[in-house]
């Protein structure tokens, strides 16, 4: 989920390198803007996916990418963000989907199906901010995910009405109580990405000097009293951990622990719940369907999320107090580190394009969805129990995670 309930003044105070304005469109004879579309098909080496203004703005008018100077209007994109922006040579492009799952799925599907781009060899960098589990990181932390888990695909009973022996009101669909593996699946519950590519991106990002602020450093001291949250009390770092997708924005220890449990349950104890965001499973489903059609390579996807706030309060505080995101001081860090770490990843790919990345990075792990739609047998979920695509036939068959 996009953790962005912050004042406009905070956005305006982002670091000076954040240009804050997209490339300006050319003017036609009547003075109205026009896109820079041409008949040439663009084949980017890297395509950056942002979800809202501040995430997108960090990539505009920066020296590393020869300026994202060209606007390409793509039918089906959000009315708020109708253009993709590309460098002069078309090697790097960026778009903004709009927030939450519906916007992400629609925009990315429109991109994948657009005749304006050849995406068969493109690497996709999903680069956005997120909430962070204080057991694994602090605000400003840069994370790279192998698994994306759609944790909100569950039944929900109000916490005031749950049985006394239940720890949460969330129950997997088709199950009768929390903690039972969901016998009913939509297919978007879990995606697994190329771990070899993830490791390369992680190593590139570790070369970055991450941004930190006095406000963030002061706030994270609140977590130092609990050894469980030692990572939250340290400065930002680069971390390998996994991400949870939900349009619902939750706060507090009980809900965070419930979705930690969902993450491990849905992945047969493989994924590590770390960041929370609104879009990634929707984006991945759109890319997966493109991969089935031969339009994109699903092994070329990177999820990079930077932490803007904590998913649960520090000892002695309350979830309600956590609604005051401004005092955490993490938004500026999270936005800044998208650029700081992301540039390292993108330049690493582009600089070694011919020698390493053009041919692709071979995945040594399973990649794809919970149904095994791209072939192979998932090492999580019913695909690992029923055998790859056979999981579709067993959609309503009761199962328990081993």
């Amino acid at each position: 989920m996009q953790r962005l309930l912050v004042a406009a003044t905070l956005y305006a105070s982002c670091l000076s390198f954040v240009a804050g304005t997209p490339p300006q469109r050319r003017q036609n004879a009547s003075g109205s803007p026009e896109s820079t579309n041409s008949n040439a098909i663009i084949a980017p080496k890297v395509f950056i996916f942002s979800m809202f203004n501040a995430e997108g703005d960090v990539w505009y008018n920066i020296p590393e990418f020869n300026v994202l100077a060209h606007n390409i209007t793509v039918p089906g994109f959000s009315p708020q963000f109708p253009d993709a922006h590309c460098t002069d040579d078309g090697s790097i492009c960026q778009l903004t989907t709009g927030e939450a799952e519906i916007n992400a799925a629609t925009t990315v599907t429109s991109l994948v199906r657009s005749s304006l781009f050849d995406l068969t060899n493109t690497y996709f960098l999903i680069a956005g901010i997120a909430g962070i589990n204080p057991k694994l990181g602090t605000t400003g932390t840069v994370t790279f995910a192998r698994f994306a888990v759609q944790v909100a695909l569950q039944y929900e009973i109000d916490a005031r009405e749950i049985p006394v022996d239940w720890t949460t009101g969330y129950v997997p669909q088709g199950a009768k109580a929390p903690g039972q593996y969901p016998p009913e699946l939509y297919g978007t519950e879990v995606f697994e990405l190329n771990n070899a590519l993830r490791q390369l991106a992680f190593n590139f990002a570790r070369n970055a000097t991450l941004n930190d602020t006095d406000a963030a450093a002061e706030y994270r001291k609140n977590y130092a009293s609990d050894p469980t949250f030692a990572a939250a009390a340290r400065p930002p770092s680069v971390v390998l951990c996994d991400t949870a997708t939900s349009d619902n924005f939750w706060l507090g220890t009980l809900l965070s622990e419930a979705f930690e449990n969902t993450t491990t349950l849905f992945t047969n104890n493989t994924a590590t719940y770390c960041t929370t965001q609104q879009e990634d499973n929707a984006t991945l489903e759109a890319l997966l369907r493109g991969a089935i059609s031969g339009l994109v390579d699903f092994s070329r996807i990177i999820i990079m999320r930077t932490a803007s706030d904590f998913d649960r309060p520090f000892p002695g505080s309350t979830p309600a107090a956590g609604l005051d995101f401004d005092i955490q001081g993490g938004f500026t860090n999270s936005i800044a580190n998208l650029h700081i770490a992301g540039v390292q990843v993108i330049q690493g790919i582009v600089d070694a394009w011919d020698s390493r990345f053009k041919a692709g990075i071979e995945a040594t792990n399973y990649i794809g969805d919970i149904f095994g739609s791209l072939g192979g047998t998932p090492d999580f979920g019913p695909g690992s129990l029923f055998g790859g695509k056979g999981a579709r036939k067993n959609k309503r068959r009761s199962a328990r995670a081993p």
Side-chain angles (χ1 to χ4, degrees):
M1 70 205 64
Q2 246 24 28
R3 297 194 177 248
L4 184 65
L5 298 179
V6 292
T9 54
L10 181 59
Y11 168 68
S13 69
C14 287
L15 299 185
S16 59
F17 69 78
V18 181
T21 55
Q24 297 299 306
R25 290 189 178 188
R26 299 171 180 169
Q27 301 294 309
N28 61 23
S30 64
S32 60
E34 64 181 12
S35 69
T36 57
N37 291 2
S38 69
N39 293 326
I41 296 175
I42 300 172
K45 295 174 180 174
V46 180
F47 217 121
I48 306 163
F49 290 170
S50 309
M51 277 52 74
F52 68 100
N53 293 38
E55 291 173 352
D57 289 348
V58 297
W59 305 106
Y60 306 148
N61 304 316
I62 60 174
E64 292 93 342
F65 298 160
N66 189 28
V67 185
L68 291 170
H70 297 295
N71 304 288
I72 299 93
T73 302
V74 181
F77 274 21
S78 165
Q80 289 183 295
F81 310 104
D83 297 335
H85 310 289
C86 296
T87 54
D88 286 335
D89 62 0
S91 62
I92 300 166
C93 294
Q94 179 272 339
L95 63 78
T96 302
T97 64
E99 295 175 82
E101 293 177 85
I102 293 173
N103 279 321
T106 304
T107 293
V108 176
T109 296
S110 298
L111 171 71
V112 169
R113 300 293 172 177
S114 172
S115 61
L116 301 172
F117 295 93
D118 176 357
L119 304 173
T120 52
N121 291 317
T122 299
Y123 288 83
F124 300 96
L125 178 63
I126 301 169
I129 67 172
I132 187 77
N133 178 352
K135 298 176 184 178
L136 295 172
T138 192
T139 51
T141 292
V142 179
T143 70
F144 291 92
R146 174 176 173 178
F147 292 95
V149 182
Q150 194 177 18
V151 295
L153 279 183
Q154 302 189 72
Y155 300 145
E156 180 184 2
I157 300 174
D158 191 290
R160 293 165 293 185
E161 298 178 313
I162 63 175
V164 294
D165 58 340
W166 286 16
T167 58
T168 179
Y170 284 91
V171 179
Q173 293 184 116
K176 305 302 181 185
Q180 297 178 359
Y181 196 88
E184 297 181 10
L185 294 170
Y186 291 172
T188 59
E189 287 83 356
V190 184
F191 293 91
E192 184 173 357
L193 302 183
N194 184 343
N195 194 48
L197 176 61
R198 175 198 187 210
Q199 293 284 343
L200 289 172
F202 170 79
N203 290 331
F204 287 141
R206 292 175 70 184
N207 295 322
T209 300
L210 300 180
N211 185 70
D212 197 8
T213 64
D214 292 340
E218 186 64 27
Y219 186 82
R220 65 176 177 255
K221 290 179 182 178
N222 293 307
Y223 288 86
S225 62
D226 188 340
T228 304
F229 300 143
R234 292 193 288 263
S237 60
V238 183
V239 176
L240 293 171
C241 56
D242 300 304
T243 194
T245 300
S246 171
D247 277 346
N248 183 40
F249 190 127
W250 68 84
L251 283 170
T253 299
L254 295 180
L255 284 176
S256 295
E257 289 179 348
F259 293 128
E260 282 184 80
N261 293 336
T262 299
T263 299
T264 57
L265 176 68
F266 282 18
T267 62
N268 295 355
N269 301 310
T270 305
T272 301
Y273 167 95
C274 179
T275 61
T276 65
Q277 40 67 37
Q278 285 181 296
E279 296 88 12
D280 290 354
N281 283 59
T283 297
L284 293 174
E285 178 65 19
L287 291 172
L288 180 121
R289 295 188 188 191
I292 292 172
S293 299
L295 299 175
V296 303
D297 183 346
F298 200 81
S299 71
R300 300 187 182 214
I301 303 169
I302 301 166
I303 294 177
M304 183 185 75
R305 288 281 178 171
T306 61
S308 61
D309 63 280
F310 295 103
D311 70 354
R312 67 200 79 186
F314 57 81
S317 186
T318 66
L323 289 172
D324 187 0
F325 296 103
D326 292 3
I327 65 172
Q328 297 191 30
F331 178 71
T332 298
N333 285 352
S334 66
I335 292 295
N337 288 336
L338 284 175
H339 167 272
I340 292 171
V343 161
Q344 297 292 330
V345 175
I346 294 166
Q347 289 187 321
I349 293 172
V350 172
D351 290 348
W353 182 257
D354 290 329
S355 62
R356 192 171 198 179
F357 288 94
K358 182 178 181 179
I361 303 300
E362 182 179 0
T364 57
N365 61 297
Y366 170 81
I367 60 170
D369 64 357
I370 201 166
F371 284 164
S373 298
L374 298 177
T377 300
D379 48 11
F380 56 86
S384 62
L385 301 175
F386 303 141
K389 295 183 179 180
R392 299 180 195 173
K393 300 177 182 178
N394 294 280
K395 180 177 179 183
R396 296 186 178 273
R397 178 174 172 179
S398 180
R400 297 293 182 268

